[in-house]
Amino acid sequence: MGVSRRRFLEITAAASAVGAIGSTRSLEAMAAQVGGSTKWVKSVCRYCGTGCGLYIGVENGKVASVKGDRDNHNVGLLCLKGFLLPQIMGAPDRLQHPLIRRDGKFVRATWDEAMTLVAGRFREAIDKFGPDAVGFYGSGQGLTEETYVANKLFKAGIRTNNVEGNPRLCMASAVAGYVQTFGMDEPMGTYEDIDHADVILLIGSNAAEAHPIIFQRVVRRRENNRNVKIVVMDPRVTPTTRIADLHLAFKPGTDLAILNAMAHVIVKEGMVDEDFIKTHLVFGQGTETDKSWDDYKAFLAEYAPERVAKEAEVKAEDIVTVARWFGEKGRKATSMWCMGLNQRTKGVWANNLVHNLHLVTGKIGIPGSTPFSLTGQPNACGGVRDGGALSHLLPYGRVIANEQHRAQMEAIWKVPAGTIQPKPGLPTIDLFRSLEEGKLKCLYVMTTNPGQSLPNVNRYRAAMRREGAFVVVAEAYHPTRTSELADVVLPAALWAEKEGVYGCAERRYQLLEQAIPPLGEAKPDMEILCDLGRRLGHGALVPFKTPNDVWDEILVACKGTRYDFSGMTRERLRQTHGLFWPMPTVGHPGTQLRFVKGDDPLVPADHPYRIKFYARPNDRAVVWLRPQQQAEELPDAEYPFFYTTGRDIEHWHTATMTRNVKELRHANLESMAQFHPKDAAKLGIKQGDSVKLTSRRGEETFRVKVTDNSREGLIYVHMHDPDRMCNRLTNDVVDPVSRQPEFKICAVKVAKV
Ligand code: SF4
């Protein structure tokens, strides 16, 4: 017996909205009953880094419905966004043919006209000013194969390392944190750790809204074991904090002090694992690993909970309680974090400090004990991070600065020695500043929306329209806040219209199969890039006819690296519901616990210990001594409020897709400025009033929402609204190591309008 679609929507909406406290069972039962399409094609959700598996229902050549994949980690569940994916396909603003700007207006063009213009402008810039006069800005939403093709074309064909992607805005601090502590990127564990954890620490993550299905797994863990403790560390009250046994609502920017204070308690009360420390760890400060366990203990002395509590405006006993829950011997602890930790000028350090807690307690590499960074985008791990499509990276753990690594990639790419430039290219903010300065002449933007998503966005919007700059945007929709600035807009095929691989937050690679042909004249990004390559004279470098051709080369590129997934054939991906790397042979089952003997094929069977941090010298991970440091810009007399931005459940990033879904467009698309009631009273503003928020970089007008979700002195605005862009105000100062901007904290003033 079926359930009507309307009823299902009501149930999924309710489950999404109250996922923090509700049972998921009714949702699962309902999901099983929706169906009836003629053909089901295996795929993955297009949105967040959770990477939920789903099936696309195709009727009469159109995407008619989706249903969750019961055999995948999401056990058939999808959140509301995922369930409503069919509506993004045929939306009125889908771009169906190329556009060229002429006399300030977009006019329809043929593919040949558009690509002739693009290739001509790129060729002219390269010939006149050298390869670094052009650049590529991609995305954690691009398929692995298309990101790989772009990386190869620009680094080995055009010979510029100006290849960046929006994961720089999203996960760069997590990457650098993993690399500094463990020697290489990406979590050691998987989502399954949630099912074994006794303590789950969520810091800088509103998982209930940003990663609903992961959060539902946390809720299930709690439902199944009432002794499980959930700690949320976040300045705001959110749906995530509502299930917390303890919510540490610290003053923005004081999280480093709190994490050090937790370590202080753990060390003082003897909750450390001394054998693990002696065998597996070294201690460091700055960039050197020249400190000792005693140095670390001395460093922690100034982080007594009583002192830190005053600075962070929380209770000292709460810090002690959280430290005890985390550190108690025999309890398994998993921590998860996201943009709240990463989008900071101290983001790398904050990541280091989370890792420290796991390392000194030895709570790592055991089912239920892992430090786990969540990701904002569906392929932030697979394409850009693993695939090395950032300005300092090469595929699969190689770096531009390493001569041997360059030589390896030159051999794989069959280009002459010395082809890859030894100097890293420009990280995202520097790339757009170079456009502003007129040094970067041409930029190719693929599957992302920097005209809305960059911090201090007014500045970079002006850079994209600067006289002499040439911006190409390959996009499924038009207009977006970026395509409106472009010189050429190329219609890109959308999810379900093309095939490729996504790598979600838990090192799981999954194949998205093509379900329907591209709409109108749209083409998969891989084909567009290969066409550009041919027109620039690099056709032999990108001869790929299908994504499978690219995957074959990727399997060669990863072979022998610490990512080695050369056993992950296309056929295996097609037959399974995701595979974990490392996976060096076709017979290998995949790796759940990385660095752990018996699970990770790169740890020898006769290794004397259960764990081997093989990516670090002497197989030792690093406990870093990272002092508390504040955000770059704090409230003062002129700009008296903290300003922070984030995600809400109904929408995804800049909403180019979710605004096309009727149910979501009517739900919370407008960014409102959320004020604490006491602040509202002081300012004489009430619900529904309009206020102008001004930072040192820009201003925007929002309607007011008065809510005690907000901390006193802190204004929150969600990032999704294309009409009221929160990023006109945010700070484009970056973490010195990860080059990730400080989206999360700046100072603003308020004026009633
Ligand atoms: S949790 Fe993320 S991946 Fe899963 S259905 Fe929702 S948006 Fe898609």
Side-chain angles (χ1 to χ4, degrees), residues 552-594:
D552 285 345
E553 188 172 307
I554 287 174
L555 294 187
V556 174
C558 73
K559 195 166 184 56
T561 70
R562 290 173 178 141
Y563 287 76
D564 199 337
F565 53 90
S566 49
M568 210 181 276
T569 63
R570 204 72 166 181
E571 201 40 45
R572 277 188 86 186
L573 282 168
R574 216 173 282 288
Q575 285 164 3
T576 59
H577 303 264
L579 298 168
F580 297 94
W581 60 265
M583 180 180 272
T585 60
V586 173
H588 193 274
T591 302
Q592 292 265 335
L593 296 172
R594 201 156 59 111

XYZ file of all heavy atoms in Angstrom, residues 552-594:
347
model
N 40.493 5.225 -15.469
C 41.617 4.301 -15.709
C 42.950 4.990 -15.419
O 43.852 4.398 -14.839
C 41.607 3.815 -17.168
C 40.517 2.780 -17.408
O 39.984 2.242 -16.413
O 40.192 2.519 -18.586
N 43.056 6.259 -15.832
C 44.309 6.986 -15.586
C 44.460 7.330 -14.099
O 45.568 7.304 -13.547
C 44.353 8.260 -16.441
C 45.705 8.941 -16.376
C 45.819 10.086 -17.372
O 45.560 9.870 -18.578
O 46.177 11.204 -16.934
N 43.346 7.645 -13.455
C 43.382 7.953 -12.020
C 43.886 6.739 -11.235
O 44.658 6.880 -10.284
C 41.976 8.406 -11.547
C 41.681 9.818 -12.071
C 41.856 8.348 -10.030
C 40.275 10.326 -11.799
N 43.470 5.539 -11.647
C 43.928 4.333 -10.945
C 45.443 4.177 -11.066
O 46.100 3.658 -10.156
C 43.209 3.090 -11.482
C 41.695 3.026 -11.220
C 41.134 1.674 -11.643
C 41.350 3.294 -9.765
N 45.995 4.634 -12.169
C 47.462 4.615 -12.322
C 48.087 5.696 -11.424
O 49.091 5.459 -10.749
C 47.849 4.854 -13.805
C 49.369 4.972 -13.947
C 47.300 3.735 -14.682
N 47.448 6.876 -11.398
C 48.018 8.000 -10.627
C 48.054 7.718 -9.128
O 48.943 8.179 -8.418
C 47.213 9.273 -10.907
N 47.091 6.947 -8.643
C 47.048 6.702 -7.190
C 47.913 5.507 -6.782
O 48.249 5.364 -5.611
C 45.611 6.488 -6.714
S 44.908 4.901 -7.200
N 48.267 4.675 -7.754
C 48.973 3.419 -7.443
C 50.302 3.709 -6.743
O 51.056 4.579 -7.135
C 49.224 2.633 -8.723
C 49.605 1.187 -8.461
C 49.503 0.355 -9.722
C 49.788 -1.102 -9.423
N 48.932 -1.665 -8.375
N 50.533 2.981 -5.660
C 51.798 3.129 -4.945
C 51.842 4.316 -4.001
O 52.806 4.483 -3.267
N 50.803 5.156 -4.020
C 50.762 6.267 -3.065
C 50.086 5.783 -1.781
O 49.566 4.672 -1.716
C 49.964 7.469 -3.620
O 48.576 7.107 -3.665
C 50.426 7.848 -5.017
N 50.030 6.658 -0.814
C 49.361 6.275 0.438
C 47.840 6.313 0.308
O 47.132 6.012 1.257
C 49.837 7.176 1.568
C 51.285 6.885 1.933
C 51.810 7.879 2.914
N 53.180 7.545 3.271
C 54.128 8.432 3.445
N 53.873 9.714 3.277
N 55.333 8.051 3.787
N 47.376 6.746 -0.831
C 45.932 6.708 -1.102
C 45.545 5.433 -1.843
O 44.370 5.187 -2.037
C 45.518 7.884 -1.997
C 45.521 9.218 -1.307
C 46.704 9.891 -1.043
C 44.331 9.825 -0.917
C 46.712 11.120 -0.414
C 44.323 11.059 -0.291
C 45.517 11.703 -0.042
O 45.508 12.916 0.585
N 46.491 4.678 -2.243
C 46.321 3.616 -3.253
C 44.935 2.950 -3.262
O 44.589 2.177 -2.373
C 47.406 2.547 -3.030
C 47.593 1.675 -4.263
O 46.654 1.596 -5.072
O 48.678 1.077 -4.410
N 44.144 3.281 -4.282
C 42.845 2.619 -4.459
C 42.785 1.972 -5.840
O 41.735 1.919 -6.476
C 41.676 3.595 -4.227
C 41.725 4.861 -5.027
C 41.147 4.949 -6.283
C 42.340 5.991 -4.504
C 41.182 6.128 -7.016
C 42.384 7.178 -5.228
C 41.802 7.241 -6.491
N 43.945 1.487 -6.269
C 43.992 0.953 -7.625
C 43.161 -0.322 -7.783
O 42.923 -0.775 -8.897
C 45.442 0.739 -8.079
O 46.167 0.049 -7.103
N 42.680 -0.886 -6.667
C 41.757 -2.025 -6.768
C 40.303 -1.607 -6.947
O 39.410 -2.456 -7.033
N 40.081 -0.301 -7.027
C 38.709 0.207 -7.103
C 38.295 0.385 -8.566
O 38.213 1.502 -9.079
C 38.669 1.552 -6.360
C 37.355 1.880 -5.727
S 37.424 3.495 -4.905
C 38.111 3.124 -3.317
N 38.070 -0.720 -9.225
C 37.727 -0.636 -10.648
C 36.332 -0.044 -10.826
O 35.517 -0.055 -9.899
C 37.734 -2.029 -11.282
O 36.719 -2.798 -10.628
C 39.080 -2.722 -11.135
N 36.105 0.427 -12.038
C 34.784 0.988 -12.351
C 33.695 -0.054 -12.095
O 32.624 0.245 -11.592
C 34.789 1.406 -13.822
C 33.810 2.474 -14.181
C 34.245 3.786 -13.619
N 33.544 4.895 -14.189
C 33.789 6.148 -13.841
N 34.708 6.438 -12.948
N 33.105 7.121 -14.387
N 34.008 -1.285 -12.455
C 33.021 -2.341 -12.318
C 32.667 -2.556 -10.851
O 31.492 -2.713 -10.483
C 33.575 -3.637 -12.960
C 32.527 -4.651 -13.331
C 31.263 -4.028 -13.941
O 31.359 -3.142 -14.812
O 30.161 -4.423 -13.489
N 33.700 -2.545 -10.007
C 33.431 -2.710 -8.567
C 32.594 -1.543 -8.046
O 31.683 -1.722 -7.240
C 34.739 -2.772 -7.778
C 35.366 -4.133 -7.765
C 36.539 -4.158 -6.813
N 36.130 -4.457 -5.440
C 36.959 -4.431 -4.404
N 38.219 -4.104 -4.568
N 36.535 -4.723 -3.197
N 32.942 -0.342 -8.483
C 32.165 0.823 -8.042
C 30.712 0.702 -8.489
O 29.789 1.061 -7.764
C 32.774 2.110 -8.609
C 34.021 2.625 -7.895
C 34.694 3.713 -8.719
C 33.677 3.156 -6.503
N 30.531 0.171 -9.693
C 29.174 0.039 -10.239
C 28.357 -0.965 -9.419
O 27.167 -0.778 -9.181
C 29.272 -0.425 -11.703
C 28.220 0.165 -12.615
C 28.461 -0.199 -14.076
N 29.498 0.576 -14.715
C 29.391 1.862 -15.068
N 28.263 2.505 -14.839
N 30.392 2.484 -15.642
N 29.037 -1.998 -8.951
C 28.313 -3.069 -8.260
C 28.094 -2.799 -6.777
O 27.258 -3.434 -6.144
C 29.101 -4.385 -8.396
C 29.007 -4.999 -9.762
C 30.081 -6.045 -9.988
O 30.861 -6.353 -9.094
N 30.118 -6.570 -11.190
N 28.874 -1.886 -6.206
C 28.828 -1.704 -4.749
C 28.159 -0.377 -4.387
O 27.753 0.384 -5.264
C 30.260 -1.705 -4.170
O 30.985 -0.635 -4.790
C 30.966 -3.021 -4.448
N 28.103 -0.136 -3.091
C 27.486 1.091 -2.599
C 28.547 1.969 -1.949
O 28.345 2.552 -0.890
C 26.365 0.748 -1.617
C 25.339 -0.137 -2.230
N 24.173 0.325 -2.790
C 25.349 -1.478 -2.439
C 23.497 -0.686 -3.289
N 24.180 -1.796 -3.092
N 29.690 2.016 -2.576
C 30.785 2.828 -2.065
C 31.914 1.962 -1.537
O 31.682 0.901 -0.948
N 33.142 2.418 -1.785
C 34.336 1.668 -1.385
C 35.297 2.635 -0.702
O 35.435 3.785 -1.110
C 35.007 1.059 -2.619
C 34.159 0.042 -3.420
C 34.817 -0.251 -4.767
C 33.965 -1.244 -2.638
N 35.971 2.115 0.335
C 36.891 2.960 1.113
C 38.338 2.749 0.683
O 38.786 1.607 0.560
C 36.825 2.601 2.600
C 35.496 2.848 3.238
C 34.560 1.833 3.330
C 35.179 4.087 3.759
C 33.330 2.050 3.923
C 33.951 4.314 4.358
C 33.022 3.290 4.439
N 39.067 3.834 0.518
C 40.500 3.714 0.287
C 41.235 3.729 1.613
O 40.661 4.231 2.572
C 40.996 4.809 -0.657
C 40.808 6.230 -0.219
C 39.782 7.069 -0.535
C 41.688 6.989 0.628
N 39.960 8.299 0.060
C 41.123 8.272 0.774
C 42.885 6.715 1.276
C 41.704 9.277 1.542
C 43.481 7.713 2.042
C 42.884 8.976 2.174
N 42.469 3.221 1.705
C 43.229 2.528 0.661
C 42.588 1.196 0.260
O 41.967 0.536 1.076
C 44.589 2.269 1.316
C 44.651 3.123 2.536
C 43.250 3.390 2.936
N 42.814 0.834 -0.997
C 42.290 -0.402 -1.571
C 43.232 -0.780 -2.718
O 42.930 -0.570 -3.890
C 40.870 -0.161 -2.077
C 40.263 -1.383 -2.677
S 38.597 -1.105 -3.263
C 37.704 -1.448 -1.791
N 44.408 -1.322 -2.406
C 45.436 -1.474 -3.438
C 45.233 -2.634 -4.396
O 45.931 -2.699 -5.413
C 46.721 -1.658 -2.623
C 46.277 -2.154 -1.299
C 44.894 -1.647 -1.062
N 44.310 -3.548 -4.072
C 44.077 -4.664 -5.000
C 42.581 -4.849 -5.214
O 41.773 -4.430 -4.374
C 44.638 -5.989 -4.438
O 43.971 -6.257 -3.195
C 46.144 -5.919 -4.208
N 42.264 -5.502 -6.307
C 40.839 -5.719 -6.620
C 40.180 -6.589 -5.553
O 38.997 -6.437 -5.247
C 40.696 -6.345 -8.033
C 39.263 -6.732 -8.309
C 41.177 -5.355 -9.085
N 40.962 -7.459 -4.942
C 40.392 -8.332 -3.923
C 40.268 -7.684 -2.548
O 39.647 -8.239 -1.649
N 40.838 -6.491 -2.378
C 40.838 -5.878 -1.044
C 39.448 -5.333 -0.697
O 38.802 -4.711 -1.536
C 41.887 -4.753 -0.979
C 42.154 -4.316 0.421
N 41.397 -3.370 1.068
C 43.085 -4.725 1.314
C 41.856 -3.207 2.299
N 42.882 -4.026 2.471
N 39.011 -5.541 0.567
C 37.645 -5.105 0.913
C 37.518 -3.611 1.173
O 36.406 -3.095 1.315
C 37.364 -5.886 2.204
C 38.712 -6.123 2.823
C 39.671 -6.268 1.669
N 38.634 -2.879 1.276
C 38.562 -1.457 1.621
C 38.921 -1.266 3.082
O 38.902 -2.211 3.880
N 39.255 -0.019 3.440
C 39.853 0.252 4.748
C 38.920 1.090 5.612
O 38.657 2.247 5.308
C 41.190 0.996 4.542
O 42.027 0.175 3.730
C 41.873 1.259 5.866
N 38.455 0.481 6.697
C 37.601 1.223 7.638
C 38.449 2.046 8.598
O 38.123 3.193 8.877
C 36.766 0.226 8.464
C 35.717 -0.515 7.669
C 34.359 0.156 7.752
O 34.062 0.861 8.694
N 33.538 -0.048 6.748
N 39.513 1.443 9.130
C 40.335 2.132 10.132
C 41.733 2.342 9.557
O 42.538 1.411 9.525
C 40.420 1.299 11.409
C 39.105 1.084 12.160
C 39.277 0.082 13.282
C 38.594 2.404 12.722
N 41.958 3.562 9.118
C 43.247 3.840 8.500
C 44.339 3.908 9.565
O 44.069 4.317 10.699
C 43.175 5.156 7.737
C 44.237 5.321 6.674
C 43.775 6.306 5.632
N 43.496 7.589 6.234
C 44.235 8.686 6.033
N 45.272 8.646 5.242
N 43.901 9.816 6.593
